[in-house]
Amino acid sequence: MTKNKRYPQIKIRSKNELAKHLSGKKLLFEEALKLINDVIQNYDSYWKDSNSSEPKKNKYVRSAINTPLGKLLKLIDRKILAPHDNKIPEFIFGGIKGRNHIDASYSLLGKRRKRVLYKTDLKRFFEQISINRVSYFFHKKCGCSKKASELLANLCCVKLGSKGTQETDKVLTRGFSTSPRLAVWCNLDIFLRLSWRIKKILRGHDPRLAIYVDDIGVTGSRIDKDKIKSLANNIKNILLNFDANQELKINERKTGWKKFNKGVEHLGVELGRNKLGLGGKTKAKFHKVNLLLKKGNRSDKILRIKKGLSVYKNQLKKLAPLM
């Protein structure tokens, strides 16, 4: 696929054109334009740090729920970004319609025996993506004007650190509806190179790659330690050095490989030789809920949890085992 076809050709040239893209039967052009102007003028008052933030880890989740900014971000995500999900490669999951963590885990299974899982994750993934990268994506990849690109980037990014910080650098943020898709698009070239290199190194070993937001999983069959070492070095090198303007650091603590013996998990799901199973944490929840039910605790909350866990278990079972 050529580069110009790889990316969505949005070609928004102005604030008025953005309003036209966002308008429809339920939102007239004038109302869309008014919404954009309101958010521009009152941006900082329309978002806050969520209680799910982890300041000690320097991880902040932002919330714009029930605000004009939240409404605008949902419109941008639904009307400008989501329509192009079909262009995103099949090995990328998370934040994309119809592709969840179960699909990502299932895609890593293979028909051959002696399978190995190598996994890593990207450290503070969203925070590594600067406002300049977001603007570059809209301008250079999507054909938007520089002014419109900067407008879109400023709507989708906030400053690092807690709200009110003296930081000046703006980045993608956890909690905004536009962030998962923008994180994928801003790093698409890196992920494509990663896929190409993995297939080359593991040629003949049934290689599979699944990228779920900031989690990267690679599997293959009958891989010796030298190939695993080469694979690990190449993955790290591409993430750090492929793009001079975008270094993606990995979490070394969560990086490593395991054989497909009983209990190997990825994304909270157990990877069997040819099927998926419940991960350890989910099994523990099932066990706890069943004990409570046996003791006579049949509260609405416990019954809801039991039903949710059962639905999840059935979702895994419905996936046909690889033969």
Side-chain angles (χ1 to χ4, degrees):
M1 183 182 289
T2 57
K3 282 189 177 182
N4 63 326
K5 291 184 179 180
R6 184 180 295 163
Y7 289 90
Q9 294 306 292
I10 300 169
K11 297 183 179 179
I12 296 172
R13 313 299 299 176
S14 65
K15 184 168 61 177
N16 280 10
E17 282 193 21
L18 175 58
K20 287 179 182 177
H21 275 74
L22 301 181
S23 62
K25 290 181 180 179
K26 294 183 180 180
L27 185 71
L28 300 177
F29 165 76
E30 293 78 9
E31 294 172 331
L33 185 59
K34 183 179 179 181
L35 175 63
I36 294 168
N37 285 327
D38 178 25
V39 170
I40 292 172
Q41 187 174 353
N42 302 290
Y43 188 86
D44 278 340
S45 63
Y46 288 152
W47 67 270
K48 63 182 180 180
D49 290 336
S50 169
N51 291 333
S52 56
S53 298
E54 299 177 83
K56 290 183 180 179
K57 295 182 180 179
N58 207 20
K59 290 182 179 181
Y60 292 91
V61 180
R62 323 295 186 169
S63 175
I65 296 173
N66 297 325
T67 70
L69 172 59
K71 180 179 180 179
L72 182 57
L73 290 171
K74 283 184 179 179
L75 284 168
I76 292 171
D77 188 50
R78 181 165 57 86
K79 293 209 165 191
I80 293 176
L81 299 175
H84 305 284
D85 280 357
N86 63 328
K87 289 181 178 289
I88 295 175
E90 71 284 348
F91 62 84
I92 297 177
F93 304 81
I96 300 164
K97 188 176 181 181
R99 303 188 204 178
N100 57 34
H101 77 285
I102 296 176
D103 300 317
S105 300
Y106 187 74
S107 73
L108 292 173
L109 301 182
K111 296 180 181 180
R112 302 181 191 177
R113 294 178 181 273
K114 294 186 178 180
R115 203 151 185 82
V116 167
L117 165 70
Y118 176 85
K119 63 180 180 178
T120 186
D121 79 355
L122 301 169
K123 187 184 294 184
R124 299 177 66 225
F125 182 37
F126 291 154
E127 291 89 342
Q128 291 195 58
I129 304 167
S130 70
I131 189 172
N132 291 334
R133 293 295 298 172
V134 179
S135 180
Y136 180 88
F137 160 68
F138 282 118
H139 183 40
K140 296 294 185 180
K141 304 293 188 179
C142 301
C144 297
S145 70
K146 189 173 182 180
K147 188 174 182 179
S149 299
E150 289 174 353
L151 169 61
L152 284 162
N154 272 293
L155 291 172
C156 299
C157 298
V158 301
K159 291 179 181 179
L160 281 166
S162 61
K163 188 170 184 178
T165 182
Q166 297 302 311
E167 287 277 358
T168 56
D169 294 338
K170 282 188 172 184
V171 296
L172 279 186
T173 180
R174 304 161 191 266
F176 280 7
S177 53
T178 48
S179 293
R181 285 188 171 91
L182 285 175
V184 169
W185 284 117
C186 289
N187 293 287
L188 183 59
D189 288 346
I190 297 175
F191 293 157
L192 286 169
R193 175 54 65 91
L194 207 59
S195 174
W196 176 83
R197 186 63 61 82
I198 289 167
K199 287 177 181 176
K200 184 176 180 180
I201 293 171
L202 300 184
R203 184 177 294 146
H205 297 274
D206 189 26
R208 308 290 176 93
L209 165 66
I211 298 175
Y212 181 80
V213 191
D214 56 357
D215 284 288
I216 298 173
V218 181
T219 61
S221 294
R222 302 180 186 278
I223 307 171
D224 59 36
K225 291 183 179 180
D226 287 339
K227 277 199 180 295
I228 290 172
K229 186 176 181 179
S230 175
L231 176 73
N233 289 336
N234 273 270
I235 288 175
K236 186 173 183 178
N237 183 56
I238 289 171
L239 293 173
L240 290 174
N241 303 311
F242 174 76
D243 191 326
N245 298 309
Q246 180 64 67
E247 178 185 77
L248 293 178
K249 297 176 182 177
I250 65 173
N251 190 332
E252 297 284 359
R253 188 174 59 84
K254 294 183 179 180
T255 298
W257 67 278
K258 287 184 178 180
K259 294 179 180 179
F260 260 52
N261 296 322
K262 187 176 181 180
V264 172
E265 293 185 20
H266 187 57
L267 302 174
V269 178
E270 184 177 274
L271 305 180
R273 191 180 73 80
N274 63 357
K275 62 182 180 179
L276 300 179
L278 293 174
K281 288 184 178 180
T282 309
K283 287 178 182 177
K285 286 181 183 178
F286 249 114
H287 180 68
K288 184 178 180 180
V289 168
N290 286 332
L291 280 178
L292 289 171
L293 289 170
K294 284 181 180 179
K295 290 178 180 180
N297 186 341
R298 303 190 68 82
S299 66
D300 290 343
K301 181 180 178 181
I302 295 300
L303 291 173
R304 281 198 304 271
I305 294 173
K306 172 70 174 181
K307 183 179 179 180
L309 290 170
S310 297
V311 169
Y312 181 65
K313 186 176 182 178
N314 287 332
Q315 284 179 319
L316 296 178
K317 281 186 174 181
K318 284 180 181 178
L319 293 170
L322 297 178
M323 301 303 290

